[in-house]
C-alpha cells in the first residue's frame, strides 16, 4: 500500500485506487451531506454560567481507536468545543470543580468500497460510483455533581464520487478530504453540544436565544 496516505487518510473510499494500483479518475470529488448543516442561530442555547471541563477525544474507524486520526483532529475538536461557549475553560487534564467531556467520532466506511473502486479504476472512470463514509459523533458529559453522564449522538456522512457518476443528492461539494472531515466534526459537535446544553441536568440556567422560534 502507498504509505503517503495512512492513518486517518486510509479510508477505503479514498484509497481504493492506491491499494489496487489503478489511476484515480480526474472526475473524483468529495461531498458532505447537507441535511444536518449548522445550528440555526434561533436554536442556539446560551449557558449563563459556564463551568470548566476536561476534554477527552477519540477518533475511531469501525469502533477501533485510530491514534493518528485522533492527533490530527485534536486541535480542531478543542477549538469547536471552546467555540460552543458551553465551558469557561477546556483542558486536556483534569480540572478543579469541572466535569469531563468525552467526544468520540466513529468512521464507518461503506463495505465493498475497494471492490467498487476497482471497477472504476479498471474502466478509467467510465463506470462510476459513489462511496459513503458514515460518521457517528457521540458526546458524553459527566458533571462534577452527578454520577450519571449526559449523552448525545449525531449521524453524518461524507460521499466520495468516483468516475462518471452523478453527484450525490443532499450533499455539498468540498475541495478536499481535510475540509470534509473538519466540516463533519464541526457540524456534528455543534448539534450534539447544543442539544446537550438544553438538558436541565447540564445547566439549570441555560436559556434559548430566541425561545419563541424553537418548536
Amino acid at each position: 500500500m502507498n504509505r503517503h496516505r495512512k492513518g486517518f487518510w486510509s479510508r477505503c473510499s479514498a484509497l481504493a485506487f492506491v491499494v489496487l494500483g489503478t489511476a484515480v479518475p480526474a472526475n473524483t470529488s468529495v461531498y458532505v451531506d447537507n441535511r444536518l448543516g449548522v445550528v440555526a442561530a434561533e436554536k442556539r442555547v446560551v449557558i449563563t454560567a459556564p463551568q470548566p471541563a476536561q476534554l477527552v477525544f477519540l477518533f475511531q474507524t469501525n469502533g477501533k481507536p485510530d491514534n493518528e486520526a485522533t492527533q490530527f483532529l485534536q486541535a480542531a475538536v478543542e477549538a469547536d468545543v471552546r467555540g460552543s461557549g458551553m465551558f469557561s475553560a477546556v483542558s486536556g487534564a483534569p480540572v478543579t470543580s469541572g466535569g469531563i467531556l468525552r467526544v468520540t467520532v466513529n468512521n464507518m466506511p461503506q463495505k465493498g468500497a475497494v471492490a467498487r473502486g476497482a471497477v472504476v479504476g479498471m474502466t478509467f472512470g467510465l463506470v462510476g460510483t459513489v462511496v459513503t463514509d458514515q460518521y457517528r459523533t457521540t458526546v458524553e458529559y459527566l458533571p462534577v455533581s452527578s454520577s450519571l453522564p449526559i449523552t448525545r449522538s449525531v449521524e453524518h456522512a461524507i460521499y466520495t464520487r468516483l468516475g462518471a457518476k452523478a453527484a450525490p443528492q443532499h450533499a455539498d461539494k468540498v475541495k478536499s478530504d481535510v475540509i470534509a472531515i473538519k466540516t463533519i466534526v464541526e457540524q456534528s459537535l455543534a448539534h450534539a453540544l447544543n442539544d446537550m446544553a438544553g438538558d436541565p441536568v447540564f445547566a439549570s440556567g441555560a436559556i434559548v436565544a430566541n425561545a419563541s422560534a424553537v418548536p
Side-chain angles (χ1 to χ4, degrees):
M1 179 184 294
N2 190 317
R3 299 299 298 173
H4 78 284
R5 298 180 73 178
K6 56 183 179 178
F8 162 64
W9 305 116
S10 62
R11 294 190 300 117
C12 289
S13 57
L15 274 191
F17 302 99
V18 178
V19 171
L20 296 163
T22 54
V24 178
N27 55 343
T28 296
S29 48
V30 182
Y31 298 77
V32 171
D33 194 295
N34 60 21
R35 284 170 288 189
L36 185 64
V38 300
V39 177
E42 66 271 16
K43 292 189 177 182
R44 288 184 178 275
V45 177
V46 178
I47 301 301
T48 58
Q51 301 297 313
Q54 177 188 5
L55 172 63
V56 180
F57 169 61
L58 176 65
F59 187 96
Q60 301 175 329
T61 299
N62 287 327
K64 297 181 179 180
D66 186 328
N67 293 330
E68 186 172 349
T70 298
Q71 294 174 11
F72 178 82
L73 291 168
Q74 182 76 41
V77 170
E78 290 179 3
D80 290 338
V81 172
R82 289 193 180 95
S84 71
M86 291 173 57
F87 306 97
S88 59
V90 178
S91 172
V95 295
T96 303
S97 300
I100 300 174
L101 179 70
R102 299 182 184 276
V103 176
T104 303
V105 178
N106 185 24
N107 172 213
M108 297 163 283
Q110 183 172 339
K111 294 181 179 180
V114 172
R116 295 173 65 177
V119 175
V120 179
M122 289 186 293
T123 62
F124 299 97
L126 294 178
V127 174
T129 190
V130 173
V131 177
T132 303
D133 279 58
Q134 297 288 345
Y135 289 83
R136 178 181 296 115
T137 297
T138 301
V139 177
E140 180 182 270
Y141 180 69
L142 182 63
V144 68
S145 59
S146 174
S147 60
L148 297 176
I150 309 167
T151 304
R152 297 291 188 276
S153 291
V154 173
E155 306 285 340
H156 216 327
I158 292 175
Y159 308 102
T160 304
R161 183 179 64 84
L162 309 169
K165 184 72 174 180
Q169 296 182 339
H170 311 297
D172 295 327
K173 186 177 180 180
V174 294
K175 292 183 178 180
S176 68
D177 281 339
V178 175
I179 294 174
I181 186 59
K182 288 188 175 181
T183 300
I184 287 285
V185 171
E186 180 180 6
Q187 292 181 354
S188 298
L189 263 180
H191 280 272
L193 289 173
N194 193 63
D195 190 26
M196 179 179 288
D199 191 313
V201 178
F202 178 83
S204 59
I207 61 173
V208 179
N210 184 353
S212 62
V214 178

